[in-house]
Amino acid sequence: MPTLTTDKIIAKLNSYFTDNQYVFWYDDKQEFKDIIDSIVQHLSPVKLYKAQANQQFKSKIDLLNDSEHKYLIYAPYKRPAIQENYLTDMEHYSKLFTADATQIILEELQLPENQLLFVKKYNSYFGAKTRRADFVKYWSDTFDKTPEKGIIAAITKTEKLDMNELLMKVIAQAMLIIIIFLHLVNMMCLILFGRWS
């Protein structure tokens, strides 16, 4: 199901296809890899062509052999330099499209616009769908001023969203690590010296 931001992407792509047979979308960070298929389902008669970086010449032949259809060429790699890009001539009579994945993540997390910098700062954390789902599950409006608490709550899977419980979970995890470390030291002493330390 499209969101408001993906609706904007779909509307923009549809507007590009009114005058163009091909629209190229280079996504070098592969931010839209998971949702590109669902986006294309909402485009009026457009086919998706997933280009591969090392097969540009094949891509060009495939696309030119089907002049009857419109194509969204999704390339999950960086746009090549002109002298290395076999599709450059096609790009000249087509459109190039780019989108901001951070904005889509912000909307998926149901955060207000003023949290965009927060989402950009922790983009690597929010890159995984499961972490985004955990963040939404453990999010509280009390975290608006310090949204990092939402990440901590998601990582620690804290049911009660207050600082005392967060700290207790972090301390408990630290104590568990210390206990495991001490047990490993004792095992090493047993192996090396034949006795517990």
Side-chain angles (χ1 to χ4, degrees), residues 57-70:
F57 191 69
K58 180 190 178 308
S59 297
K60 185 171 188 169
I61 291 171
D62 290 347
L63 292 166
L64 292 175
N65 281 338
D66 184 8
S67 60
E68 308 243 339
H69 295 96
K70 294 182 178 189

Side-chain angles (χ1 to χ4, degrees), residues 1 20 24 33 62 64 81 93 135 138 147 169 173 185 196:
M1 183 172 136
N20 298 284
F24 287 84
K33 187 178 180 180
D62 290 347
L64 292 175
Y93 58 85
F135 182 84
Y138 295 104
K169 288 261 186 170
Q173 291 297 315
V185 168
W196 291 98

Side-chain angles (χ1 to χ4, degrees), residues 122 125-126 130-131 133-136 138-139 148-159 161 166 169-170 173:
Y122 295 101
Y125 173 80
F126 291 119
T130 54
R131 290 192 294 253
D134 285 346
F135 182 84
V136 169
Y138 295 104
W139 175 258
E148 289 81 2
K149 290 180 187 176
I151 293 176
I152 294 169
I155 290 171
T156 59
K157 310 250 188 267
T158 304
E159 297 294 330
L161 299 173
L166 288 176
K169 288 261 186 170
V170 170
Q173 291 297 315

Side-chain angles (χ1 to χ4, degrees), residues 19-22 24 60 64 87-95:
D19 298 326
N20 298 284
Q21 183 176 5
Y22 306 112
F24 287 84
K60 185 171 188 169
L64 292 175
L87 301 170
T88 300
D89 60 328
M90 292 178 73
E91 289 178 9
H92 282 295
Y93 58 85
S94 304
K95 275 286 199 186

Side-chain angles (χ1 to χ4, degrees), residues 32-176:
F32 295 91
K33 187 178 180 180
D34 293 340
I35 62 169
I36 190 68
D37 291 313
S38 65
I39 288 173
V40 171
Q41 289 175 358
H42 293 72
L43 299 176
S44 43
V46 171
K47 289 186 171 187
L48 174 64
Y49 188 91
K50 293 183 180 178
Q52 295 180 16
N54 57 351
Q55 296 186 358
Q56 287 185 345
F57 191 69
K58 180 190 178 308
S59 297
K60 185 171 188 169
I61 291 171
D62 290 347
L63 292 166
L64 292 175
N65 281 338
D66 184 8
S67 60
E68 308 243 339
H69 295 96
K70 294 182 178 189
Y71 280 94
L72 173 62
I73 298 102
Y74 177 75
Y77 53 85
K78 186 176 180 176
R79 185 178 180 199
I82 292 174
Q83 57 271 40
E84 298 170 4
N85 190 352
Y86 289 108
L87 301 170
T88 300
D89 60 328
M90 292 178 73
E91 289 178 9
H92 282 295
Y93 58 85
S94 304
K95 275 286 199 186
L96 287 174
F97 177 79
T98 58
D100 183 9
T102 309
Q103 186 68 37
I104 292 174
I105 291 171
L106 180 78
E107 187 174 291
E108 183 181 332
L109 298 174
Q110 301 170 357
L111 294 176
E113 286 292 323
N114 65 353
Q115 299 294 352
L116 186 61
L117 290 176
F118 162 72
V119 174
K120 282 184 179 182
K121 182 177 180 181
Y122 295 101
N123 193 32
S124 59
Y125 173 80
F126 291 119
K129 255 185 185 175
T130 54
R131 290 192 294 253
R132 291 194 302 267
D134 285 346
F135 182 84
V136 169
K137 180 178 178 182
Y138 295 104
W139 175 258
S140 168
D141 291 336
T142 61
F143 293 159
D144 274 345
K145 292 183 180 162
T146 52
E148 289 81 2
K149 290 180 187 176
I151 293 176
I152 294 169
I155 290 171
T156 59
K157 310 250 188 267
T158 304
E159 297 294 330
K160 186 179 170 193
L161 299 173
D162 71 341
M163 278 309 289
N164 290 336
E165 186 171 343
L166 288 176
L167 286 173
M168 292 304 291
K169 288 261 186 170
V170 170
I171 290 169
Q173 291 297 315
M175 292 300 291
L176 180 64

